[in-house]
Each structure stands twice: as C-alpha cells, then as structure tokens.
Amino acid sequence: MTILAPPAPAPARRTTRTSSTTAAPCTSADCRVNAEPFRAWVRQLMSDTGLPWRVIARASRVPSATVYALLRGQDQRSMATLPQLEAERLFRLDHHRLAYLQQEPADPQQVRLLLLSLAMAGCSNRQIAEFSGIDTLTVRVLMTGDRAWCSRLQQVRAEAACEAWGINPDMVVRKRAPAARIGR
C-alpha cells in the first residue's frame, strides 16, 4: 500500500479573465481548484482507515453530495474542479485528525438520538454497531437512555449511517434552545 501525503493546496484561480493577461488570485466564494489531488486524497484515506466516503465527508464537514461527485460524479464522470473551501476542508482531514476524533468524547445524548433514529428506520442493533463502530452492549446501554462513553468519530459514523438510511442527522441532533422563562 502506498501512503500519500495530503495534497498540496493548489493556488486557486478564477474561471473568468481579468483585464490583465494573468489570472488574479481568487478571493470570492466561487473559486474552484483542480479536484484530482483531493480525489486521490479521499481515496487514500478510505483505503488506509476503512472508513466509507460518507464518514470522510462528515468528518471533513464537506457535503456528502460533493464527495460523492468527487469520487463518482454524475453518469460515472467525476468532477474536474472542487470549490476551494471544500478542498481546504478535505486537505485538513488527515490521519492525525481522524485519530483525534477517535479520542475526543461525543455527547452521549446526541449519539443516542442518532442510534434511535437508525433503529426506528429498521436497523438492527448489530447493524447499528457495525455502522457506528460502537460495540453492541454500548449500543443497548445508549438506547435505553443510560450514559456511555463514545468517541466523536463514532458519532460521525452514526451520522453518516443516518444519512445513508435517508435520515437527516443534522435534524436529529439539532439542539433545541431552552424555553424562555416568563417573568414574574
């Protein structure tokens, strides 16, 4: 297995010409960069870690649709350019960041809600454990309402599993603002 380093950030260019003959540095939100190094980087991360592409997308905070298009694209053609912000987010996700997410604690209540959503969608406890990387005993403990330690990476894996099952994980774990108190 060949280990690749993260892609070097390519200088972004505007797709339109300026009044001079050289392209000006990109400062707008619509800047795009060559997608090929980032495609290779995502594939390398998937190969090294065994994580699915949805987990890589959620861990890097890049929309899953973008990572899917990066890897497969529409009509099996992958995208040629990638928005600069999303390229930077993919660039920042590396083995060290994934190892950190494996050690960072997650909010057990949020993980519980994700696991319950998967169960309500028809997933068995065994499937939920496989998707999230949480052992089956801890899955049961969390789903009964007790607290158990889970890593942030396990939460990200549960979010990706929800997304794959058609559940919006952002709606599941959305924190509700406390009700306003009525003054006396």
Side-chain angles (χ1 to χ4, degrees):
M1 169 183 343
T2 304
I3 298 179
L4 299 175
R13 296 184 203 164
R14 289 186 179 167
T15 55
T16 59
R17 288 194 164 243
T18 60
S19 59
S20 67
T21 57
T22 60
C26 188
T27 56
S28 64
D30 62 342
C31 296
R32 298 185 72 82
V33 297
N34 180 9
E36 189 56 40
F38 301 97
R39 180 179 302 109
W41 181 238
V42 168
R43 287 181 177 150
Q44 184 69 43
L45 282 174
M46 290 170 52
S47 173
D48 291 350
T49 63
L51 295 172
W53 62 269
R54 285 185 197 273
V55 175
I56 300 297
R58 298 231 24 120
S60 62
R61 297 177 317 157
V62 172
S64 294
T66 300
V67 174
Y68 180 82
L70 179 67
L71 295 174
R72 292 177 186 85
Q74 294 180 348
D75 302 326
Q76 301 303 318
R77 291 182 299 157
S78 54
M79 63 176 26
T81 61
L82 185 65
Q84 183 176 359
L85 176 62
E86 293 168 1
E88 288 172 2
R89 287 179 177 171
L90 286 171
F91 174 71
R92 285 190 210 113
L93 183 67
D94 60 8
H95 297 83
H96 297 290
R97 176 72 181 142
L98 289 170
Y100 174 76
L101 289 174
Q102 184 64 38
Q103 301 303 316
E104 182 182 10
D107 179 357
Q109 180 63 18
Q110 290 183 358
V111 175
R112 178 179 175 271
L113 293 172
L114 291 164
L115 300 182
L116 287 172
S117 296
L118 286 167
M120 290 176 20
C123 288
S124 68
N125 281 1
R126 185 182 50 77
Q127 288 174 313
I128 293 171
E130 182 182 322
F131 295 150
S132 65
I134 302 171
D135 63 273
T136 53
L137 178 61
T138 306
V139 168
R140 286 188 204 127
V141 167
L142 285 167
M143 290 176 62
T144 59
D146 289 339
R147 296 178 76 82
W149 191 91
C150 294
S151 73
R152 180 73 180 102
L153 184 59
Q154 290 170 325
Q155 180 178 349
V156 169
R157 289 177 61 159
E159 291 171 0
C162 283
E163 194 175 274
W165 277 72
I167 303 164
N168 183 345
D170 298 322
M171 295 299 289
V172 172
V173 298
R174 174 179 280 165
K175 294 183 179 179
R176 289 176 171 58
R181 293 186 179 184
I182 300 174
R184 294 180 211 198

